[in-house]
Amino acid sequence: MADPMAGGEIFYVSGESPVSVLAVVKMIVQLMGRQDLSPQLPHQPTATAPIQRPAARKIKLLGWQPRISLETGLQKTIAWYRLHSQQSA
């Protein structure tokens, strides 16, 4: 049941644990079986840039919670992309 006080708020939709962009990219490379690819981050944040970790706890006010893991979601996304990219070729 959604909290009536949630109106007009900003929510981050994510899992419970923070994950870096590099970790997501590495997971995608692995799930796609593309060990020939090597992710690079040419524009690393400086030491003065804060690490942002949006709190996903707040979205629970809406009664939302993740039903699948990041890895499962990426697997499903990759499968969908492979199916649809072949159809449009």
Side-chain angles (χ1 to χ4, degrees):
M1 174 70 95
D3 185 325
M5 299 302 291
E9 293 288 325
I10 296 171
F11 297 91
Y12 294 101
V13 179
S14 71
E16 295 289 323
S17 302
V19 60
S20 71
V21 171
L22 183 58
V24 172
V25 172
K26 286 181 177 181
M27 190 180 297
I28 292 168
V29 167
Q30 185 225 358
L31 292 171
M32 293 187 73
R34 294 295 309 265
Q35 282 67 32
D36 58 314
L37 299 177
S38 178
Q40 297 178 10
L41 297 176
H43 303 291
Q44 298 271 344
T46 64
T48 58
I51 296 173
Q52 296 184 6
R53 292 196 172 126
R57 294 182 308 272
K58 188 174 162 187
I59 197 157
K60 291 183 180 180
L61 293 172
L62 300 178
W64 185 90
Q65 63 181 4
R67 292 185 292 189
I68 62 172
S69 67
L70 174 60
E71 184 173 350
T72 299
L74 289 174
Q75 288 170 334
K76 290 177 178 238
T77 301
I78 291 166
W80 181 93
Y81 179 79
R82 284 182 170 153
L83 174 68
H84 289 83
S85 66
Q86 291 174 0
Q87 289 179 355
S88 62

